[in-house]
Amino acid sequence: MNDNKDTLMLAWTTCEMGEDATRLAEHAVEHNLAACVQVSGPIMSFYRWKGKLESGTEYRLLFKFPESLREALHAWLKKNHPYETPQFYALKADHVDEAYMDWVIGE
Protein backbone atom coordinates (compact mmCIF):
# COMPACT_ATOMS: atom_id res chain seq x y z
CA MET A 1 0.00 0.00 0.00
CA ASN A 2 1.23 3.52 -0.85
CA ASP A 3 1.80 4.97 2.63
CA ASN A 4 4.25 7.68 1.61
CA LYS A 5 1.60 9.64 -0.32
CA ASP A 6 3.84 10.24 -3.34
CA THR A 7 1.91 11.32 -6.43
CA LEU A 8 2.10 9.73 -9.88
CA MET A 9 3.49 12.10 -12.48
CA LEU A 10 3.28 11.85 -16.25
CA ALA A 11 5.85 13.70 -18.34
CA TRP A 12 6.33 13.97 -22.09
CA THR A 13 9.11 14.69 -24.50
CA THR A 14 9.79 14.00 -28.16
CA CYS A 15 12.82 12.91 -30.23
CA GLU A 16 13.44 12.97 -33.95
CA MET A 17 15.15 9.58 -34.01
CA GLY A 18 13.65 6.34 -32.74
CA GLU A 19 17.09 5.28 -31.51
CA ASP A 20 17.30 8.36 -29.27
CA ALA A 21 13.80 7.70 -27.91
CA THR A 22 14.75 4.10 -27.13
CA ARG A 23 18.01 5.16 -25.47
CA LEU A 24 16.29 7.76 -23.28
CA ALA A 25 13.49 5.36 -22.32
CA GLU A 26 15.82 2.53 -21.39
CA HIS A 27 18.19 4.77 -19.46
CA ALA A 28 15.40 6.44 -17.47
CA VAL A 29 14.04 3.07 -16.33
CA GLU A 30 17.45 1.49 -15.80
CA HIS A 31 18.58 4.40 -13.59
CA ASN A 32 15.30 4.54 -11.60
CA LEU A 33 14.18 7.92 -12.94
CA ALA A 34 10.89 6.41 -14.13
CA ALA A 35 8.99 3.21 -13.43
CA CYS A 36 7.87 3.03 -17.06
CA VAL A 37 8.46 4.91 -20.30
CA GLN A 38 6.26 4.38 -23.33
CA VAL A 39 7.48 5.34 -26.80
CA SER A 40 4.94 6.00 -29.52
CA GLY A 41 5.24 7.17 -33.05
CA PRO A 42 6.17 8.18 -35.48
CA ILE A 43 4.06 11.31 -35.10
CA MET A 44 4.10 14.52 -37.13
CA SER A 45 5.04 17.74 -35.36
CA PHE A 46 4.57 21.28 -36.62
CA TYR A 47 6.25 24.12 -34.76
CA ARG A 48 8.10 27.39 -35.06
CA TRP A 49 11.85 27.25 -34.33
CA LYS A 50 13.97 30.42 -34.37
CA GLY A 51 11.27 32.24 -36.33
CA LYS A 52 10.85 29.59 -39.02
CA LEU A 53 7.91 27.21 -39.49
CA GLU A 54 9.19 23.64 -39.18
CA SER A 55 7.69 20.17 -39.38
CA GLY A 56 9.03 16.70 -38.94
CA THR A 57 8.56 13.17 -37.76
CA GLU A 58 9.16 12.54 -34.08
CA TYR A 59 8.71 9.88 -31.42
CA ARG A 60 6.81 10.71 -28.24
CA LEU A 61 7.99 9.47 -24.84
CA LEU A 62 5.63 9.23 -21.88
CA PHE A 63 7.42 8.90 -18.53
CA LYS A 64 5.56 7.55 -15.47
CA PHE A 65 7.26 8.29 -12.16
CA PRO A 66 6.68 9.44 -8.58
CA GLU A 67 6.62 13.20 -8.01
CA SER A 68 9.70 12.94 -5.79
CA LEU A 69 11.76 12.21 -8.95
CA ARG A 70 10.46 15.10 -11.07
CA GLU A 71 13.46 17.43 -10.70
CA ALA A 72 15.99 14.61 -11.12
CA LEU A 73 14.25 13.39 -14.30
CA HIS A 74 14.01 16.90 -15.70
CA ALA A 75 17.70 17.66 -15.02
CA TRP A 76 18.79 14.33 -16.49
CA LEU A 77 16.65 14.84 -19.59
CA LYS A 78 18.05 18.32 -20.23
CA LYS A 79 21.58 16.90 -20.02
CA ASN A 80 20.97 13.78 -22.16
CA HIS A 81 18.39 14.84 -24.74
CA PRO A 82 19.68 15.43 -28.28
CA TYR A 83 17.61 18.62 -28.74
CA GLU A 84 18.93 22.06 -27.82
CA THR A 85 15.62 22.82 -26.10
CA PRO A 86 13.81 19.56 -25.33
CA GLN A 87 10.12 19.51 -24.62
CA PHE A 88 9.41 18.62 -21.00
CA TYR A 89 6.16 19.01 -19.18
CA ALA A 90 4.82 17.02 -16.30
CA LEU A 91 1.31 16.63 -14.92
CA LYS A 92 0.02 15.03 -11.76
CA ALA A 93 -2.37 12.14 -12.28
CA ASP A 94 -5.56 12.91 -10.35
CA HIS A 95 -6.65 9.31 -9.93
CA VAL A 96 -4.38 6.27 -9.91
CA ASP A 97 -5.16 2.67 -9.06
CA GLU A 98 -3.58 2.02 -5.65
CA ALA A 99 -1.86 -1.21 -6.72
CA TYR A 100 -0.40 0.53 -9.79
CA MET A 101 0.89 3.40 -7.65
CA ASP A 102 2.47 0.90 -5.25
CA TRP A 103 4.28 -0.60 -8.25
CA VAL A 104 5.49 2.84 -9.42
CA ILE A 105 6.81 3.64 -5.94
CA GLY A 106 8.42 0.20 -5.65
CA GLU A 107 10.29 0.63 -8.91
Side-chain angles (χ1 to χ4, degrees), residues 8-66:
L8 178 70
M9 300 291 294
L10 305 171
W12 290 263
T13 196
T14 56
C15 292
E16 179 181 13
M17 305 298 295
E19 296 83 7
D20 289 330
T22 298
R23 176 183 56 81
L24 291 173
E26 288 177 348
H27 187 100
V29 173
E30 182 179 326
H31 290 89
N32 298 317
L33 294 167
C36 175
V37 182
Q38 294 172 317
V39 177
S40 58
I43 59 171
M44 286 296 298
S45 294
F46 299 85
Y47 53 95
R48 203 171 286 286
W49 179 249
K50 297 183 178 182
K52 184 179 173 191
L53 183 60
E54 302 280 351
S55 65
T57 301
E58 293 185 298
Y59 293 83
R60 181 182 297 130
L61 290 83
L62 169 60
F63 298 84
K64 301 173 190 180
F65 59 97

Side-chain angles (χ1 to χ4, degrees), residues 2 4-9 65-68 92-93 101 105:
N2 179 18
N4 68 2
K5 306 295 185 226
D6 212 340
T7 301
L8 178 70
M9 300 291 294
F65 59 97
E67 185 174 16
S68 59
K92 292 181 182 181
M101 190 65 205
I105 296 297

Side-chain angles (χ1 to χ4, degrees), residues 76-97:
W76 169 82
L77 190 66
K78 286 169 53 174
K79 183 179 178 182
N80 292 283
H81 199 288
Y83 288 1
E84 179 181 337
T85 306
Q87 167 189 301
F88 180 85
Y89 57 95
L91 304 172
K92 292 181 182 181
D94 69 353
H95 180 78
V96 180
D97 179 83

